[in-house]
Amino acid sequence: MPELPEVETTRRGIETHWVGRKLLEIIVREPRLRHPVPAVIDTFTGLAVTSLERRGKYLLAHFPSHRHLLIHLGMSGSLRVCREADELKRHDHLIFRLSSGVEIRYHDPRRFGLVLPFDGDPGDHPLLRDLGPEPLTGAFHTGILVDACRKRRTPIKALIMDHRVVVGVGNIYASEALFRAGIRPTTPAHRVTRKRLEMLTSTIREVLEDSIRQGGTTLRDFVGSDGTPGYFRQMLYVYERAGEPCRTCATPIRHAVLAQRSTYWCPACQK
DNA sequence: ACTGGCTCCTGAGGGC
DNA sequence: TGCCCTCAGGAGCCAG
């Protein structure tokens, strides 16, 4: 589920509740995530979060003495701000009880996500060290895509979803950014002209920013930290709109599986 | 080095 | 009602 806008929506929603609050207790109800939640997570009890950062689709809760919790929401994860009295849901796998009386609950039916404690420099962590630039910063620019596309035959859509190239672009926003840039998703990366890569750089940024403004996209199960869905779905041009008329030219939207992922495009607007 | 294919897991929805 | 199939916002790992 969550791509960059959904993770950023989550970060903003829990930041004010979590930063500065002490962890009274961490309850692990189900440790079997993508990586098992290690027992050492208990040692974070009594510590207060100093800041909550997003890196791509990862959340990083920073604690004193270079200690961190790395959180990923996988395909179906969410973090909700709850009261202790709120009823627990099936698949609420971890509960972070805070000194304010609030609880942050990690919910993830498919368990593709992770919650991993670690110490040291986040830049050295194996899951973080090879990540590409953040698309909403100046570190992401046309040159990044131009270099990454050189001699690559992989479809341009797969390339922009490669988090070593640029982080945070998942299956929805890859299709949407390519629509906005007028580029067909199947085009081999090395065949996309520089001018079009310039456009794509802008549309990736725009579509992510637009979605953040709407609280992200809810297709099935994404909820923000307050349990409400995101509203960007109504603004999608192509994703999950196979057979429906293009919002620009009314041509029916096409669908195909590309690199094992559902892909949508307008055959008239995208060349 | 690149590329495509498979895998982890649960749940929803469609067809019969 | 139920069973069986397909598909789903991610991403690491593997073989060729």
Side-chain angles (χ1 to χ4, degrees):
Chain A
M1 63 93 336
E3 304 182 36
L4 187 149
E6 292 74 36
V7 178
E8 180 59 22
T9 297
T10 299
R11 191 196 68 78
R12 292 179 186 184
I14 62 178
E15 181 180 39
T16 49
H17 291 93
W18 205 356
V19 172
R21 311 289 183 186
K22 232 178 237 180
L23 278 170
L24 288 190
E25 190 181 7
I26 303 163
I27 302 166
V28 182
R29 304 176 70 227
E30 172 56 86
R32 295 176 303 163
L33 306 185
R34 192 169 102 213
H35 298 289
V37 180
V40 70
I41 197 169
D42 281 346
T43 62
F44 284 72
T45 306
L47 305 183
V49 175
T50 52
S51 62
L52 185 63
E53 180 193 5
R54 180 188 55 71
R55 180 75 179 97
K57 299 175 194 168
Y58 290 93
L59 286 171
L60 269 166
H62 299 296
F63 294 81
S65 309
H66 306 285
R67 309 200 73 195
H68 321 273
L69 284 180
L70 183 60
I71 302 171
H72 195 285
L73 302 177
M75 286 278 263
S76 59
S78 59
L79 285 164
R80 290 168 6 255
V81 175
C82 298
R83 295 263 148 202
E84 206 174 330
D86 296 343
E87 202 168 329
L88 278 173
K89 289 189 179 177
R90 183 164 154 83
H91 305 301
D92 279 347
H93 301 319
L94 280 92
I95 303 170
F96 299 94
R97 289 189 53 222
L98 307 182
S99 51
S100 56
V102 157
E103 294 184 352
I104 310 277
R105 295 185 187 163
Y106 176 89
H107 180 266
D108 184 9
R110 293 175 74 179
R111 291 190 273 120
F112 287 173
L114 60 85
V115 178
L116 275 185
F118 72 99
D119 296 345
D121 181 350
D124 294 339
H125 194 282
L127 293 174
L128 301 177
R129 71 182 166 215
D130 296 326
L131 294 181
E134 287 290 330
L136 303 184
T137 69
F140 179 58
H141 49 80
T142 308
I144 298 283
L145 289 186
V146 171
D147 288 348
C149 287
R150 206 162 278 151
K151 295 184 184 169
R152 296 286 302 276
R153 293 165 180 280
T154 202
I156 186 66
K157 176 173 177 254
L159 183 121
I160 60 174
M161 290 179 66
D162 181 342
H163 61 199
R164 291 165 303 184
V165 174
V166 56
V167 295
V169 181
N171 206 34
I172 298 178
Y173 302 111
S175 278
E176 293 295 314
L178 287 163
F179 173 82
R180 292 186 183 204
I183 303 167
R184 216 169 269 217
T186 47
T187 312
H190 73 281
R191 302 247 317 269
V192 183
T193 62
R194 186 190 172 92
K195 192 159 182 83
R196 294 177 144 238
L197 291 178
E198 260 170 47
M199 177 68 93
L200 183 58
T201 307
S202 302
T203 61
I204 286 172
R205 203 174 283 140
E206 283 163 18
V207 76
L208 297 175
E209 284 172 348
D210 288 352
S211 179
I212 290 171
R213 245 173 261 131
Q214 300 294 319
T217 301
T218 297
L219 293 176
R220 280 159 269 279
D221 47 18
F222 174 72
V223 290
S225 60
D226 56 359
T228 61
Y231 298 103
F232 193 67
R233 188 176 191 177
Q234 294 138 260
M235 328 263 287
L236 298 176
Y237 282 93
V238 291
Y239 195 82
E240 285 202 333
R241 295 195 64 244
E244 293 175 47
C246 172
R247 296 192 198 282
T248 301
C249 73
T251 303
I253 298 301
R254 295 275 306 271
H255 168 262
V257 174
L258 185 63
Q260 293 83 243
R261 308 301 298 275
S262 255
T263 302
Y264 303 84
W265 73 97
C266 170
C269 295
Q270 292 172 262
K271 301 292 183 191

